[in-house]
Amino acid sequence: MFPSFFGPSDRPLFGIYHPPADHAPADRAVLLCNPFGQEAVRGHRIFRVLATRLVRERIPVLRFDYHGTGDSPGSDEDGDLAGWTGDVRVALQELVARSGVSRVVCVGVRLGAALALRGAGGLPETMRLVLWDPVVDGASYLEQLRHKHVEALESTFSVADPAWRASLANDPAAFTSEAIGFALSERLRGQMRELSPQLLRAPDGADIHVLAHPSDARVGEWIASPSLRAARSSHWPIDEPFDWTASQRPGSPIVPAPALSRLMATISG
Amino acid sequence: MAEAIERIARVGADERLVGVVTLPAKPRPGAPGLLLMNAGVVHRIGPHRFNVKLARAVAEDGITSIRIDLSGLGDSPNATDASHSGQQAIRDLQAAMDHLERHHGIRRFVVFGLCSGAVNGYRLALADERIAGLQMFDGYVYPTWKTHIVRRLVRFRALPWSALARKLVQRLSGQRPVRVLELGEGSDDTHLGIPTRPEFAQSMQALITRGTSVYLAYSGSFLETHNYTGQLRDAFAGAMFLDHVRYDFMPDVDHTMTSLAAQRKVIAATRDWIQSVAAEASARTGTTLASTSGAGSTGRSIQESFSPP
């Protein structure tokens, strides 16, 4: 496991490269694309476990932090979908250079799914996109984050302030500039609002595997939409819903086994 | 303004532990380095990226910091031997101090710990005299009789009137037993490794006597056990250490600093405290501005560093 900063000197990224076991020759490499904010904190352990299992299968892995997230430079306020999409491309090139493998499976989780699709979808090195619980509708995602933020406040304080719920219900602008500990700039919110099932298009011939809970109506709408028509897509239902914004507590299940198994099968198959 | 630099740190004899060092553009001569670690199972960036935000904020004050994943957490593997996790955490943090000393010439440290990190920081401070300052955020709690009254009062006020009426009817009809308050209940959990009040007071006194600065901060997330300003003074009435520790109860801040306002408040308070520790260190050693902390002397490649904006 090799942590490093990589990429252009004016926008370096923090990443951890996992070489394959025994440095064996590999037929594919895997790029892991983080979700946003608290969901990325929640996803860290999952990605580490996934990477560990993949290298045992002799598949090299790179996981990384977008600009303004994790250990990468930049602040929360620098969040920018266009910039993060570029970060995916930089990371993919880094992975190809480090592993010597030119066929890459991009795994994107939540907002990272949209970034992986946009950033890596059309690149010749991308052999497959595996999108887990993808965020395909930015407006509803932002609304979900508002609710999750208030839920987080209510659960962390011993006594909830009723004004939080009232603001949430009556003021559409309340709890929009931050979400569960992370800033949401006006620019980022604007970019997220433009994300929709109609506009999140897959490139011609892309090999796309979507892992999502069957009740996720937005994902269902996206899969049925013309946006995926040009792609070869498969939908894998994950029956166990996963709360991406929940706090991690010692002893609680932090890596959902069914999803991990499906990810392994989808990446390796 | 010149920017701080961050570098990858592989910590420990076998470089097993993963960390990131933040080097200020203008190191404050003689200032202690800041140690940051996991809170619970969250990796080294801390809850809501708090450790990163704090590291970069204190870098503006000339403070060098390291945030590491302790053994078995974040990106660091489990320890190779089967030692107690508390003992291992002390060894890991000592390895982080060794790293800062070897690469950056820093010999004194302050440690910030949240929740389980506060416990680790406490044990480290007692075990290692290089610790010049200990900040425990939501560390050990010692309720008083007033804590229980405040708790019930706050809960009572928060109840909707319908629930209040129902509870009253239940009480009057004998359906709900009235619980007798026991003074000091739940405070001395020795079986969990939590220090008793005398032990905690003794430890605080030992640290103060040794010249270690102590900052005990409590959030508003623990109504059951710490819920009013002045609880520490009540819990340890008459103890000598009370006049020498910094103490804050922050009812508007939650345990993991979920709101950005909470993060800003804790960062500002921590910066202020570290500045005071640094000033004390300077006064004690007579450090002059001409000296340097040795920042930037690792010789690591550019691929392992960056300048956060």
Side-chain angles (χ1 to χ4, degrees), chain B residues 250-283:
Chain B
M250 305 178 178
D252 53 342
V253 170
D254 69 281
H255 183 52
T256 56
M257 293 159 275
T258 301
S259 73
L260 298 181
Q263 293 169 21
R264 284 192 291 268
K265 183 169 183 170
V266 177
I267 286 172
T270 303
R271 279 177 84 165
D272 184 65
W273 170 70
I274 294 175
Q275 292 270 42
S276 71
V277 178
E280 252 178 60
S282 296

Side-chain angles (χ1 to χ4, degrees), chain A residues 1 5 48 63 70-71 156, chain B residues 44 49 74-75 221 303 306:
Chain A
M1 188 175 73
F5 291 104
R48 187 187 161 195
R63 52 199 170 96
D71 282 307
T156 189
Chain B
R44 65 193 166 276
R49 210 179 175 219
D75 293 310
S221 285
Q303 288 302 312
F306 75 82

